[in-house]
Amino acid sequence: MNDKLEYELNEDIQAVAPIEEPARQEYFMNKCHEIIEQFIIDNGRAPGFHVATFGCQMNAHDSEKLVGILEKIGYKEVEDEDKADFVIFNTCTVRENANQKLYGHLGSLKKRKQSNKDMLIGICGCMMQQPETVDVIRNKYAFVDMVFGTFNFYKLAELLYKRLSGSERQIIEVLAKPELNVENLPERRKYSFKSGVNIMYGCNNFCTYCIVPYVRGRERSRTPEDILCETRRLVSDGCVEIMLLGQNVNSYGINFLEESEIIKENPDYDFPDLLEDVCRIDGLKRVRFMTSHPKDLSDKLIDVIARNPKVARHIHLPVQSGSSSILKAMNRRYTKEDYMALVDKIRAKLPDVSLTTDIMVGFPGETDEDIQDTIDVIKYAKYDQAFTFIYSIRTGTPAAKMEQTDPKLVNERFNRVLEVVRDSCTEVSGRFEGETKEVLVECLNDHMEGYVTGRMDNNILVHFPGDESLIGSFVNVKLNEAKGFYYMGESIKNQ
Ligand code: 5AD
Ligand code: SF4
């Protein structure tokens, strides 16, 4: 780095060091903006960015903030990764094949970067929380411009400024644990009428197969004040549907990030209380939440859902396995019988609820009998949708040290489970055929001209004739034909 620049950069950073973090980041957004203005003068166009997001709703929501920051700086979003001047990969590491996919992507971007000197590549998200992966990027993909993690993604502008104004070719900044919680960043929502709201970060459950607690840290809950304030702001901004997000929303409130008057007054304040408070917000029409760990789903929560029509009749309740001995080895802390009893309890109070789940096949030591238990539960629980995964070994988790099962056997069992899932979910999710349901319209249909696509409160997709003007509104739709995982319908607005 030339001395003058280094001096200026240090001075910049020192000058803003004592400022609160959001203001500090705003400062760097402005500094980047100045550089981008010069790019626009030189090139006659704004630079394009593309954020490729992998993994869960949390990552999708983090990406909305990355997009917000980049737009504030002056970048313009481009759909096509190949046309972007700045490509960011927001990675997931829940399953192993994601790493190979990322390296493949980087390999193909290398050539483009050689022919476009202004092109930048950034990688962030859960995969970057693993030091071995960061070492691979450092050693084999030195052309990647910046690497950051889940605990400091709010620093995008600062890292970008460092890269653009300095001479360091590769900026790597990953924190091992959270240091600051920074909210109220600029964000650009994918949909103007619905949004996710983080209610907590991290996970304390340490399921023995899962990497999440290691890459997202221990559980931290936002205060009810903070969550309610953000939700009110979103509603006044036009959101009619909110999804409360956490790895295990049912343990909300164990460890708050800040002091809270509401908690001081009511130290037992929990997720059902929060859900009920969110439902009280005028103008908000539909509330979802994700994800529920079966061990923590309380009677109180079921009662709150039952008496609040705003809460979507949908519970995502990952079972993972139907076998009590596998569940024990997974450290899930419920048995097959506990899970089935919970399903009964939910259905007794919420007869029209849709249950969805995650299922894993191939956990170490799993036998044919265990698979039969899983199949029993699939048939018993009557899921509308089930996401099936082949167990993937994650270095550093307890299950990685257990004796692994022959992949051939796992594949055969996976296909068997998949077939049961397909049959069962098709039958169950088609049960509303002929009924009329309220649908929140999301977009124009990609494949059928003159059609729009929306979701019922149970999260199932419906396609029906309509135009752009319906996007963001609730429409009563007659479900004419169940097509497996979606419906074809018609609006009954004027009939
Ligand atoms: N291998 C395969 N699937 C996994 N999941 C979590 N960890 C693993 C793993 N190591 C699945 C679980 C979880 C979903 C988000 O991803 O089913 O519920
Ligand atoms: Fe992973 Fe289990 Fe936490 Fe879910 S509850 S994020 S599966 S450790």
Side-chain angles (χ1 to χ4, degrees):
M1 194 190 296
N2 86 37
D3 286 344
K4 184 170 171 288
L5 249 182
E6 177 155 35
Y7 173 76
E8 276 180 5
L9 184 60
N10 284 339
E11 205 183 36
D12 280 348
I13 293 172
Q14 279 158 17
V16 291
I19 303 177
E20 292 274 310
E21 195 59 31
R24 189 179 142 86
Q25 291 312 315
E26 180 132 13
Y27 171 88
F28 285 111
M29 286 177 225
N30 291 333
K31 295 299 276 182
C32 288
H33 185 68
E34 287 167 15
I35 298 175
I36 295 306
E37 276 184 333
Q38 189 56 49
F39 178 102
I40 296 171
I41 294 167
D42 295 344
N43 296 276
R45 65 172 180 94
F49 76 88
H50 181 85
V51 179
T53 308
F54 302 88
C56 65
Q57 303 277 348
M58 297 275 188
N59 260 17
H61 194 45
D62 288 353
S63 284
E64 292 186 337
K65 295 176 186 170
L66 298 176
V67 169
I69 293 171
L70 289 171
E71 287 189 336
K72 182 135 195 235
I73 287 172
Y75 279 90
K76 283 251 162 342
E77 186 166 31
V78 291
E79 284 249 326
D80 189 351
E81 184 185 301
D82 291 336
K83 296 204 172 102
D85 300 279
F86 189 4
V87 178
I88 298 188
F89 296 100
N90 189 1
T91 59
C92 168
T93 189
V94 163
R95 282 166 288 274
E96 197 185 14
N97 55 5
N99 291 52
Q100 297 316 321
K101 271 195 209 151
L102 174 72
Y103 301 145
H105 255 292
L106 291 177
S108 60
L109 279 184
K110 188 175 180 182
K111 275 206 193 83
R112 266 194 63 217
K113 196 161 155 70
Q114 281 162 347
S115 61
N116 176 0
K117 68 173 175 42
D118 290 324
M119 189 189 171
L120 295 172
I121 302 172
I123 318 179
C124 62
C126 295
M127 209 190 278
M128 297 304 109
Q129 289 301 133
Q130 295 172 296
E132 4 13 298
T133 311
V134 175
D135 283 344
V136 172
I137 304 292
R138 188 183 286 116
N139 298 328
K140 292 203 182 150
Y141 301 92
F143 59 88
V144 168
D145 296 276
M146 62 180 85
V147 171
F148 49 108
T150 55
F151 302 126
N152 63 347
F153 74 92
Y154 61 85
K155 275 192 165 181
L156 171 60
E158 181 172 342
L159 302 178
L160 180 61
Y161 181 62
K162 231 181 181 175
R163 174 69 189 84
L164 292 176
S165 62
S167 62
E168 250 179 279
R169 285 286 309 118
Q170 190 175 55
I171 312 273
I172 297 184
E173 216 178 291
V174 179
L175 305 178
K177 54 182 180 16
E179 285 180 358
L180 271 181
N181 182 49
V182 179
E183 303 287 349
N184 300 324
L185 292 167
E187 67 180 30
R188 215 260 278 126
R189 301 195 305 272
K190 187 168 172 207
Y191 299 101
S192 61
F193 51 88
K194 67 172 189 172
S195 178
V197 172
N198 289 117
I199 65 164
M200 59 205 293
Y201 303 101
C203 180
N204 285 355
N205 288 309
F206 290 95
C207 300
T208 54
Y209 51 80
C210 185
I211 198 82
V212 169
Y214 307 90
V215 295
R216 289 259 171 195
R218 297 300 88 76
E219 247 171 58
R220 286 101 61 209
S221 295
R222 291 176 69 193
T223 62
E225 286 90 334
D226 209 9
I227 297 164
L228 293 168
C229 174
E230 180 176 340
T231 309
R232 276 191 209 103
R233 182 175 52 75
L234 286 164
V235 171
S236 67
D237 206 27
C239 276
V240 287
E241 181 179 299
I242 290 292
M243 163 112 73
L244 303 174
L245 294 171
Q247 302 292 353
N248 174 15
V249 293
N250 298 322
S251 63
Y252 170 79
I254 287 174
N255 192 1
F256 283 104
L257 280 158
E258 283 157 37
E259 288 214 341
S260 151
E261 288 306 315
I262 297 178
I263 301 304
K264 264 190 213 153
E265 261 172 49
N266 176 9
D268 296 331
Y269 192 94
D270 57 7
F271 179 63
D273 294 326
L274 177 71
L275 187 60
E276 198 145 53
D277 280 346
V278 168
C279 286
R280 287 196 186 101
I281 296 175
D282 280 340
L284 181 59
K285 303 245 170 66
R286 196 190 259 175
V287 186
R288 301 181 180 282
F289 57 89
M290 182 101 121
T291 290
S292 283
H293 194 306
K295 79 176 164 56
D296 298 319
L297 197 146
S298 63
D299 292 359
K300 182 173 168 186
L301 178 63
I302 301 173
D303 290 337
V304 166
I305 301 172
R307 66 173 177 259
N308 281 283
K310 282 188 188 178
V311 183
R313 268 41 195 161
H314 170 218
I315 302 179
H316 185 61
L317 198 63
V319 65
Q320 312 298 357
S321 164
S323 152
S324 295
S325 62
I326 292 294
L327 288 167
K328 189 158 195 291
M330 288 176 163
N331 190 32
R332 291 290 290 178
R333 286 173 275 173
Y334 53 84
T335 62
K336 175 185 187 184
E337 290 71 29
D338 294 337
Y339 188 92
M340 297 205 297
L342 178 61
V343 168
D344 288 343
K345 207 156 57 175
I346 294 171
R347 292 213 184 273
K349 288 192 176 160
L350 303 167
D352 55 348
V353 78
S354 283
L355 294 179
T356 57
T357 201
D358 293 340
I359 295 166
M360 199 185 298
V361 176
F363 186 84
E366 194 173 47
T367 65
D368 270 327
E369 276 168 18
D370 297 320
I371 291 291
Q372 193 48 52
D373 282 328
T374 299
I375 290 174
D376 290 347
V377 174
I378 296 168
K379 291 184 175 164
Y380 188 83
K382 296 191 169 31
Y383 299 113
D384 277 77
Q385 218 177 351
F387 301 93
T388 28
F389 305 104
I390 288 183
Y391 163 76
S392 164
I393 191 163
R394 305 313 290 126
T395 313
T397 61
K401 296 192 200 90
M402 299 177 189
E403 196 171 332
Q404 308 295 312
T405 316
D406 173 10
K408 251 208 204 133
L409 210 55
V410 173
N411 265 320
E412 183 274 313
R413 289 170 177 164
F414 179 77
N415 289 336
R416 212 177 331 143
V417 169
L418 201 59
E419 208 167 294
V420 177
V421 162
R422 221 177 276 142
D423 290 349
S424 171
C425 294
T426 307
E427 192 188 326
V428 174
S429 65
R431 70 190 180 285
F432 300 112
E433 201 173 74
E435 291 182 25
T436 295
K437 292 270 181 190
E438 207 175 43
V439 171
L440 175 57
V441 182
E442 287 190 356
C443 54
L444 291 176
N445 190 291
D446 283 342
H447 306 291
M448 283 177 293
E449 224 184 291
Y451 276 71
V452 289
T453 296
R455 276 177 205 275
M456 301 193 272
D457 80 338
N458 60 14
N459 214 32
I460 293 178
L461 286 172
V462 183
H463 310 296
F464 65 99
D467 62 32
E468 213 169 349
S469 68
L470 296 177
I471 293 175
S473 57
F474 285 94
V475 178
N476 286 321
V477 178
K478 176 144 188 265
L479 306 173
N480 290 331
E481 199 184 351
K483 290 278 206 180
F485 297 106
Y486 64 93
Y487 281 93
M488 298 306 297
E490 64 182 313
S491 155
I492 57 152
K493 217 163 52 174
N494 301 319
Q495 288 175 13

